[in-house]
Amino acid sequence: QLIPLPPEIWVHLGPRERVAEGFHALDISAPWEPLSLTPAAGLTSILTMIPSLALFTAMVRLRAYRSTWLVIALIAGTLAGIALGVLQVTSSTPLASPFYLYEQTNWGRAVGFFANADHMATLLVVTIPFVAALVGLAKTAHMQRFAATIATAAGLGMVVVVGLALNGSLAGYGLALPVIVASILIILPPRSRLRFWIIGSAALLLMASVTAIEMSSIGSGRIGAHASSAVQSRSNILATT
């Protein structure tokens, strides 16, 4: 976004013709300009990567990525978000509910600790392979512990599915099933003949979910309303960008 482009290109991108008119009004030929209309803000946003990079570096240095406590922390945070989401959707008057943490949010939906329902859905979908990872780690344990881990993972999976249903995000619905199928790869042995079929099935399910959202009606009620608003907002964003 910060690479300068010739005026023959950037003038015709989105609403930049109005910017070019400003140069013409000042009797100045349009110069080379970057794609971003606020390059200074773009440079500032790069600095926001520092905390993420610092955390990643600390994890690598401390070898924290091998700890099962990270998986437990992620799942615990997700369960807490689902519990908060239950309180949110069961409120008689969502707009006056004290369980929504932000003034601007998706009222009436289980957003958990987020303001956006799609962000909560992303957390729920991301949690699925980590639940499968718990089962994968327990494969070498004795039978009693392995059985207990499978039962726990099944219970956690059901809670995540309930969270997705309460959340009502199209992103969650579209990604959950392919991710569930792909997560089986974590449990299967590395040389299993089923791995190829699992990968193919996950890819097909992903394409099918995207096609279903694009080609068919989602239905009535809040899901249909969300689909309509999501498509309209994305169309407006696409026209601008």
Side-chain angles (χ1 to χ4, degrees):
Q1 294 191 18
L2 302 177
I3 298 176
L5 300 174
E8 293 80 10
I9 296 179
W10 75 264
V11 166
H12 302 289
L13 299 177
R16 290 165 181 78
E17 292 182 358
R18 300 178 184 176
V19 180
E21 292 174 357
F23 287 109
H24 294 314
L26 297 173
D27 198 19
I28 300 174
S29 58
W32 285 51
E33 292 287 345
L35 182 64
S36 173
L37 295 178
T38 56
L43 289 172
T44 302
S45 66
I46 294 178
L47 300 178
T48 62
M49 297 176 62
I50 293 177
S52 300
L53 292 175
L55 180 60
F56 174 76
T57 303
M59 291 174 61
V60 173
R61 293 282 295 177
L62 298 173
R63 298 184 182 274
Y65 54 87
R66 296 182 178 180
S67 175
T68 56
W69 285 106
L70 290 177
V71 179
I72 296 174
L74 173 65
I75 295 176
T78 302
L79 294 177
I82 295 174
L84 180 59
V86 172
L87 296 175
Q88 292 167 345
V89 297
T90 55
S91 302
S92 57
T93 54
L95 291 175
S97 173
F99 299 111
Y100 286 96
L101 307 182
Y102 304 94
E103 294 182 359
Q104 295 185 7
T105 186
N106 296 126
W107 305 103
R109 301 172 62 188
V111 296
F113 297 103
F114 296 94
N116 190 309
D118 290 334
H119 296 168
M120 179 61 183
T122 302
L123 174 63
L124 292 169
V125 173
V126 166
T127 304
I128 294 173
F130 285 92
V131 174
L134 288 179
V135 179
L137 289 173
K139 287 192 299 182
T140 57
H142 55 79
M143 182 58 64
Q144 186 175 3
R145 180 180 176 184
F146 181 61
T149 303
I150 291 180
T152 302
L156 292 173
M158 291 299 297
V159 174
V160 171
V161 170
V162 171
L164 286 167
L166 295 176
N167 177 264
S169 169
L170 293 178
Y173 293 149
L175 293 174
L177 191 56
V179 170
I180 290 174
V181 175
S183 298
I184 300 176
L185 294 172
I186 301 175
I187 304 175
L188 289 177
R191 296 183 179 180
S192 174
R193 296 181 179 179
L194 295 176
R195 297 182 69 86
F196 174 79
W197 296 103
I198 294 297
I199 294 173
S201 299
L204 289 176
L205 286 171
L206 179 61
M207 291 187 292
S209 63
V210 173
T211 303
I213 293 176
E214 286 288 336
M215 303 298 295
S216 63
S217 174
I218 303 301
S220 59
R222 64 178 184 176
I223 298 177
H226 173 61
S228 177
S229 63
V231 171
Q232 292 173 4
S233 63
R234 282 161 175 76
S235 299
N236 294 335
I237 294 172
L238 181 61
T240 302
T241 54

